[in-house]
Amino acid sequence: MPIGKIATFDEGSINGSIEYSTLLKSTKVSSENRELLYTFYAEKKPIKAYIVIITETRDLTTKWRLWLNNFSLTKEFKPIDTVKVGGSYYNLNIYDVTHLAREGKNEFVVSHSSIEGIWVHIINSVLFYEVPEFKTNYKLRAGIYLIQPSEEIELDGEGKNYIVIRNPNKSILKVVNSTGTVTTIGGSLDSDEIEVKGHLSIIHESSQRSPAFLFLHYSENSITPNISINVSGKIGRDNKAVITLYNDGEVDLDKVLLNAMLNGVTIHFKSFDNIKIGQKINYEFFVPKKGNVHLRIVGVKSGFRKILDKDLEWETA
C-alpha cells in the first residue's frame, strides 16, 4: 500500500507564464542556527504566488515563525499533511503569498530556536506572471510520497514536468521517460530537482528497507511566441571578443543574459534589459588567453527562458 500522497493544490490555465525555484539543501534550524533565509527573484509583480515547505520534526508541537519581506506570515506550525517515517514526522506546508510577493528580490525566513531543532528539506516558490502573448495549462502537486524499495511510480504530465525528489539512501532512484533513463539519484541528504518532458517513471532500485521521497510534481504545457536571439561574432588577434546580439523573435524580452566561458570556466557575464523586437546589441569583452570560448545566451520573458549556445572562433589572419 502506498504511504503518503502527492495532491493537487492548483490547476488551470492562464494567459501568462509560471516560474518556480527550490532551495534543495536540507538545513537544520535550531537554537544554534535560528534562521534559514531563502531568496527568490520575480521578474515583475506576480499575479499569484505560493511558498511550499517540506520539514522534518520529532513531534507535531513545533513552534516556528515565518517571514516574507519582513512581514510575519505565521507563528503557528500547522502542516496540511504529515507522514511519520521512523521516529520523525515529515510535514507539508503551503502558503498563498500573493499579497506579499513583489517585483525583484524577495526574502523568506524560517525562524526556530529549540535545542532539538527542525530540518527544512525544501523551500519552493511558485510565481505566476500575466503575459498576453503566452498561454499555459498547468497542474501543481505537492506532498510527501514514500517511494519504497523496488517500487515504480508513474507520473503523467503534458509538456514539461518538474519534480523534486530525495534519496538519502545508498540506493538508486532512477528517473525514466520515453527516451530512456534521464538521471539517477542516491546517497545525498539534499533533494534534487529534475525537468523532463512527457510521461515519466520513478524507480527505486534498492535491497534496503528505507524509502526515498517525492515532494513536488509540477506539469505545464505552454503555447508561447517564438523567442529567438541571433548571435554572431569573433575574437580578434588583440584578444577582444566582438559580438552582435539581435532579437529576431516575436516578442520583446525582459532580459538577455550573456555568459562567456573559456575552456568551461566563466570569464565574463553581462545582463541586458528590455530588449525590443528587432533590437540589435553590439558588445565587446576581453578574453585573457587562447582557448575554446563558448557563449550561453538566455532570453528571458516573464520567467520563461530560451537558451542558445554558441562557440566563438578566433581570427587567424
Side-chain angles (χ1 to χ4, degrees), residues 71-291:
F71 288 92
S72 179
L73 193 61
T74 183
K75 299 179 183 179
E76 297 184 5
F77 182 76
K78 290 186 176 181
I80 62 174
D81 193 21
T82 293
V83 176
K84 190 172 184 181
V85 183
S88 297
Y89 293 92
Y90 279 72
N91 314 289
L92 168 68
N93 289 77
I94 301 176
Y95 300 97
D96 185 333
V97 295
T98 305
H99 60 300
L100 295 176
R102 63 193 181 195
E103 180 179 352
K105 183 179 180 180
N106 291 262
E107 293 186 332
F108 180 75
V109 175
V110 179
S111 178
H112 176 74
S113 59
S114 75
I115 295 175
E116 189 170 71
I118 63 173
W119 282 93
V120 179
H121 287 305
I122 71 165
I123 304 176
N124 169 262
S125 58
V126 188
L127 306 176
F128 292 70
Y129 302 114
E130 184 177 19
V131 191
E133 300 93 342
F134 287 41
K135 183 175 181 180
T136 302
N137 300 311
Y138 66 91
K139 178 184 286 188
L140 307 180
R141 300 200 292 165
I144 300 115
Y145 186 97
L146 275 58
I147 308 174
Q148 303 293 346
S150 302
E151 182 180 8
E152 177 178 352
I153 62 172
E154 295 187 358
L155 300 174
D156 191 11
E158 296 183 6
K160 182 176 69 174
N161 294 277
Y162 174 83
I163 61 172
V164 174
I165 54 181
R166 179 173 181 261
N167 183 19
N169 311 297
K170 293 181 179 179
S171 60
I172 294 175
L173 195 64
K174 185 183 295 185
V175 179
V176 180
N177 71 353
S178 59
T179 64
T181 300
V182 177
T183 190
T184 57
I185 304 296
S188 175
L189 294 178
D190 301 331
S191 298
D192 288 89
E193 60 181 352
I194 299 158
E195 287 189 327
V196 61
K197 291 184 177 179
H199 186 91
L200 66 138
S201 298
I202 304 175
I203 306 166
H204 191 189
E205 298 181 348
S206 177
S207 59
Q208 304 179 26
R209 298 179 60 184
S210 300
F213 301 86
L214 171 64
F215 293 143
L216 301 179
H217 175 216
Y218 298 163
S219 61
E220 64 173 271
N221 190 12
S222 297
I223 302 172
T224 65
N226 180 41
I227 294 178
S228 177
I229 305 169
N230 184 278
V231 183
S232 61
K234 61 182 179 180
I235 308 169
R237 285 173 291 176
D238 58 356
N239 284 44
K240 184 183 291 182
V242 180
I243 64 171
T244 299
L245 306 175
Y246 176 68
N247 181 6
D248 60 352
E250 299 174 342
V251 65
D252 296 340
L253 298 175
D254 300 329
K255 292 181 181 179
V256 173
L257 307 177
L258 165 67
N259 186 34
M261 291 168 279
L262 176 63
N263 299 328
V265 178
T266 296
I267 58 170
H268 191 79
F269 178 83
K270 178 68 175 178
S271 176
F272 306 94
D273 295 333
N274 301 318
I275 310 304
K276 305 298 183 183
I277 298 174
Q279 183 175 345
K280 183 181 293 186
I281 299 172
N282 297 312
Y283 188 69
E284 300 178 358
F285 63 91
F286 181 74
V287 180
K289 62 181 181 180
K290 283 275 190 178

